[in-house]
Every structure is written in structure tokens, then in C-alpha cells.
Amino acid sequence: MHREEFSEAVKREGYIEAGSELHLYMHAMSQRALRYTAEINGRYHSPEELRRLFFELIGREEDETFGLFPPFSTDYGLNITLGKRVFINEGCCFQDQGGITVGDDVLVGQQVVIATLNHDLHPQRRGSMYPAPVTIGNKVWIGAHATILPGVTVGDGAVIGAGAVVTKDVPANTVVAGVPARPIKTIGQTM
């Protein structure tokens, strides 16, 4: 199986059965991601070296406007797409099998988690998963320790408050906070 085949199968099927070819591919590819993240996180690298390693991890053409403060964690890596001028702060974890798309001018705070998989609720099928992509719009600021759950779209210009757990789509130019996250302000207005 190849990267493109995996991505298409995940979109088409919407379910990854435990022990299936898709599941086994995920586990094999996690070893690749672990090698890259061990290198990224294991010692000091210049910003240029970090950028090169990160873009090798995600299998994309390098963008000189990208910034990263390690450590960084992902269990796949090849389903992350980034816009221009993205900054990812230290301690972030991107679970990207379902797909993570990040727009331009996005700031990701410390220890942010972006998850794209939910496990099956039925105990006998708990090892199986439902992938759902996360999309982050342009000029979004994600505060420290926020968690964004599978299937969420964050609109352009939105702000995710520190520690928020985002379970639903966030409209453009909206500040959300809390657990679960709820709108508290529209940018330029008071609620």
C-alpha cells in the first residue's frame, strides 16, 4: 500500500478495522514517523535543519517560512498539509491519519493536540477506528494545551483559547474557550 492509496481508502471507507490492511499499514508507517520524530526531538538542530527534517517527515516540499520548536509528535506524518508562515510551538501532537490541513499564518501554541481518529465505541471492536479530517483556516491562533477533535473545521481568523477542547466546527473570526469549547466572542465585537 502507498500513501495515496491509504489516504483514498480512509476517505472512501471512513472506517479502519483492527487488523485490516489499512490498520497494519498505519502501524508500519508509525515506525517511519517515530524515526523522524526521534531525530527532530533527540538533539539540537538549527531552524534550517528542523525545517528540512519536518518536511521530510510530512513528505512535502520544504517551505522556508515554517517554524517549529520541538519536541513534536505524530504517529503518521504523511497526512499533514501546511500553508505558509505556520509556527508550531513545543510539545504538540498531531494524530494525522485522518488528515490535518493547516492554512496560512497559523500559530499553534504549546502542547496542542490535533486528533483525527476516534475508536469504535463497541467493546468488541474498540481497536477499530473512524478517521475524520481536521481543517484549520488561515490566520488561526490555537492556544496552549488546546485539543481539536476529529472532523472539526476551524474558520479563518478564529482563536482557540488555551486548554479548550474543540468538539464542533468553529466559525471564522470567533474566539472559543472551555471544555467543551463554546463561542465567547466574535473578533471585533463583544458577546
Side-chain angles (χ1 to χ4, degrees), residues 2-188:
H2 299 286
R3 168 185 177 176
E4 293 81 18
E5 291 174 309
F6 174 78
S7 294
E8 287 305 312
V10 164
K11 288 176 193 171
R12 181 180 62 250
E13 297 176 24
Y15 188 73
I16 301 171
E17 186 176 345
S20 69
E21 182 182 5
L22 288 175
H23 194 231
L24 296 175
Y25 174 81
M26 282 174 43
H27 279 279
M29 293 307 290
S30 69
Q31 296 306 302
R32 176 192 172 279
L34 287 170
R35 281 193 306 274
Y36 274 103
T37 56
E39 177 63 24
I40 287 168
N41 302 330
R43 64 182 180 86
Y44 173 79
H45 295 282
S46 71
E48 295 78 18
E49 291 171 322
L50 278 175
R51 195 168 41 247
R52 178 187 56 78
L53 286 167
F54 187 87
F55 281 89
E56 286 178 14
L57 167 67
I58 68 171
R60 310 267 182 205
E61 187 177 327
E62 189 175 328
D63 171 26
E64 65 183 32
T65 67
F66 173 77
L68 172 71
F69 284 176
F72 175 81
S73 177
T74 186
D75 48 7
Y76 183 57
L78 293 171
N79 218 355
I80 299 171
T81 303
L82 301 177
K84 300 287 186 189
R85 297 169 301 281
V86 171
F87 175 72
I88 300 172
N89 215 323
E90 63 184 349
C92 291
C93 178
F94 287 17
Q95 179 198 53
D96 66 298
Q97 290 91 343
I100 297 172
T101 301
V102 178
D104 296 335
D105 303 299
V106 172
L107 301 173
V108 182
Q110 294 174 320
Q111 299 182 0
V112 166
V113 173
I114 300 177
T116 65
L117 294 174
N118 273 322
H119 284 275
D120 197 313
L121 289 177
H122 193 281
Q124 277 68 36
R125 295 186 303 269
R126 191 67 46 85
S128 298
M129 293 162 274
Y130 294 95
V134 169
T135 302
I136 309 297
N138 298 317
K139 300 183 186 294
V140 171
W141 173 20
I142 304 171
H145 300 273
T147 299
I148 301 174
L149 296 182
V152 167
T153 295
V154 178
D156 292 347
V159 176
I160 309 300
V165 176
V166 184
T167 62
K168 296 179 181 173
D169 290 353
V170 177
N173 300 312
T174 301
V175 178
V176 299
V179 179
R182 61 181 177 75
I184 59 170
K185 178 191 272 190
T186 300
I187 307 293

